[in-house]
Amino acid sequence: MFVEISHRGKTLLLRRLAPTESLDPAHHADVWCAAHDMQRAPPNGHIPSGCADYRCEVRQTKAASVVIWDALDFYLAAEEVEP
């Protein structure tokens, strides 16, 4: 399995998952955000697939595919913006 995090179509992270790693895209998005001193914005409703700034996909192949295991579209939290 592979995890990819992209920003508007540009790949920011693409790596193979170890057999014991989580397949939860929210986990990988949060770990990536923490490593870059950012925070994922809390979800406040349904974000249609491909409509957010960032996307985390868990899939079986390294190459992009329409077949994915699970995905999460998300935005980053901004300090100056309040819900």
Side-chain angles (χ1 to χ4, degrees), residues 23-65:
L23 297 178
D24 180 17
H27 166 77
H28 294 289
D30 289 339
V31 168
W32 180 83
C33 286
H36 293 87
D37 295 324
M38 296 183 275
Q39 185 176 4
R40 184 169 56 97
N44 62 356
H46 177 71
I47 301 172
S49 181
C51 291
D53 288 340
Y54 293 85
R55 181 170 174 85
C56 179
E57 290 185 358
V58 175
R59 59 179 185 251
Q60 290 185 335
T61 63
K62 186 175 182 178
S65 171

Side-chain angles (χ1 to χ4, degrees), residues 64-75:
S65 171
V66 295
V67 180
I68 57 172
W69 184 267
D70 202 358
L72 173 72
D73 291 289
F74 65 98
Y75 294 98

